[in-house]
Amino acid sequence: MGNQYVKPPREGSSPYTRSGIPPPTTLKKSGSDLPSHRFNDPMSLELHMADERVRAAGLSPAEREWRMKWVKDQHLHPDEPIVVDAVHRQLNPIRVLYRWPWDKLYMHFLKPTFGVYYGTVIRVTVPKVILTFLALETMYYYWKYEVKDWQHLRGIETMPLKQVITNAKEIEAKYPGLIARGLDDPARHGYYSPTFDKRTAYLDVGVTQRPW
C-alpha cells in the first residue's frame, strides 16, 4: 500500500476491525427458515453440499449410475475386513518355516482366546523374548565353559582386573588369608592361564617303548 494507504475512519467501537464496525454475528441453523448455504457458520464445511439433491444436481444419468455404485460400495460385507496373508506380507520359505508353529498357535489358540489385539501382542512378544533369552544363555555358556586359552582360539578371553584395596593390612590382620582366597592371583599359576596345568598336549609321559 505504501503512501497510498489511508486509514478508514472509525465508525464504531469494536476492537476487532479497523473501521470499528463489529463483525457479523454467527447465526445458528436452529430456529431459522434460511437455507443452510446462507448461514454465516465458519465451522460448517459442508454448507449446501449437505443436501444430497444439491450434490447430485447437474449429473448426467451415467454419472448418477456411477455415483449410486460408489455409494453402495461403501457398505461392507458382514465378513469384512478379510485378512489375506498373501496380500499383507510376502515371506520367503525360510521365514514361513520357522514362523509356522507360532502362526498356527496364534490362529487356533491365541486369537480365539485373547482376541486380535492381545493375541497379536503375545504372538509378537513371546518369540522375541525366547530368542533373546537363548542368545544370552548361549553367550553366557561360551563365556563360562569355553574360555579361550593357549591351546584354543575359540572362546572369549577375559582379563581379570587388579583389585586395589586401601585397607589391605587391616583386613589381613583381622582375617588372615582372606584376600589371597578371595582375589585372583596370577602368580599362583606362574602367570600362565588357569587352564595351563590341565593341558592335554606336551605332557611328560615318561619313558616310552618306541624304538625311536
Side-chain angles (χ1 to χ4, degrees):
M1 292 181 290
N3 297 330
Q4 305 298 325
Y5 172 72
V6 178
K7 184 178 180 180
R10 299 282 297 181
E11 300 180 7
S13 59
S14 176
Y16 302 107
T17 58
R18 289 181 294 178
S19 62
I21 301 176
T25 58
T26 302
L27 301 179
K28 296 182 179 180
K29 295 182 180 180
S30 60
S32 177
D33 295 333
L34 293 176
S36 59
H37 66 280
R38 297 299 300 274
F39 277 94
N40 183 19
D41 188 0
M43 298 304 295
S44 176
L45 300 179
E46 55 184 10
L47 298 178
H48 61 284
M49 300 301 291
D51 189 358
E52 185 176 358
R53 292 189 175 184
V54 175
R55 294 198 303 270
L59 298 180
S60 64
E63 292 174 339
R64 291 176 182 271
E65 184 178 358
W66 278 109
R67 184 179 182 278
M68 185 182 302
K69 292 181 180 180
W70 181 84
V71 172
K72 291 182 179 180
D73 289 340
Q74 309 311 306
H75 300 282
L76 301 180
H77 192 270
D79 296 336
E80 294 185 4
I82 301 175
V83 180
V84 181
D85 291 342
V87 175
H88 293 279
R89 59 181 182 180
Q90 299 291 334
L91 303 178
N92 56 58
I94 298 177
R95 295 190 64 188
V96 172
L97 182 62
Y98 78 77
R99 289 172 61 100
W100 180 80
W102 281 98
D103 288 341
K104 289 296 182 181
L105 181 66
Y106 171 77
M107 294 299 298
H108 298 287
F109 176 72
L110 296 179
K111 184 178 178 181
T113 305
F114 300 99
V116 177
Y117 178 77
Y118 291 103
T120 305
V121 170
I122 297 174
R123 166 66 182 87
V124 173
T125 305
V126 174
K128 290 181 172 57
V129 172
I130 294 177
L131 290 177
T132 304
F133 175 77
L134 292 178
L136 294 176
E137 285 294 319
T138 303
M139 295 172 59
Y140 176 74
Y141 174 84
Y142 274 93
W143 174 77
K144 185 174 182 179
Y145 298 105
E146 296 290 337
V147 181
K148 183 178 181 180
D149 56 11
W150 69 282
Q151 294 186 103
H152 307 93
L153 294 177
R154 68 175 184 271
I156 303 175
E157 183 177 5
T158 57
M159 300 294 294
L161 298 177
K162 183 179 180 180
Q163 302 292 335
V164 178
I165 303 177
T166 56
N167 53 349
K169 295 182 179 180
E170 291 81 357
I171 296 176
E172 186 65 26
K174 190 174 182 179
Y175 305 100
L178 178 62
I179 298 178
R181 293 193 302 269
L183 300 180
D184 182 66
D185 186 12
R188 184 187 311 171
H189 305 285
Y191 296 96
Y192 291 105
S193 61
T195 59
F196 182 78
D197 296 334
K198 302 177 182 179
R199 64 189 185 278
T200 58
Y202 302 107
L203 294 180
D204 186 8
V205 296
V207 180
T208 62
Q209 302 297 327
R210 297 175 182 175
W212 61 86

